[in-house]
Amino acid sequence: MDIYVGNLPWSMDDDGLKQLFEEHGEVSSAKIIKDRETNRSRGFGFVSMDDGAADAAISSLDGSEIDGRNLKVNKSKGKS
């Protein structure tokens, strides 16, 4: 399952995002989306993990606070 993670701290990188979700199961990928011109985080990213672990991660991490920011975590709607 692909998971959308919003309102990320600006200091978080791909490895930090992966570590955050690995507490709930195996992560196959974790990517923070960056601005093309500045290469700085845009404040959101995506994580891929199996469905059971993803459901646990979503329920546990949605609304949790990291570096003063409340995460928004839900199933990714995918590209349309």
Side-chain angles (χ1 to χ4, degrees):
M1 175 188 304
D2 287 329
I3 304 168
Y4 166 82
V5 188
N7 207 31
L8 288 168
W10 305 115
S11 60
M12 185 169 282
D13 60 11
D14 292 348
D15 288 337
L17 183 60
K18 183 176 183 178
Q19 288 175 4
L20 179 66
F21 279 80
E22 279 181 332
E23 297 174 18
H24 304 281
E26 185 178 340
V27 173
S28 50
S29 72
K31 179 82 174 153
I32 291 181
I33 305 305
K34 296 185 178 181
D35 184 280
R36 289 182 189 162
E37 294 177 16
T38 64
N39 203 33
R40 292 176 59 191
S41 169
R42 293 185 59 200
F44 69 95
F46 296 92
V47 175
S48 292
M49 53 195 317
D50 72 55
D51 288 358
D55 288 334
I58 290 169
S59 62
S60 175
L61 293 172
D62 187 38
S64 64
E65 183 179 321
I66 296 187
D67 292 345
R69 297 179 64 113
N70 293 333
L71 298 182
K72 292 180 175 59
V73 183
N74 51 46
K75 291 181 185 179
S76 175
K77 306 230 185 331
K79 297 178 182 174
S80 38

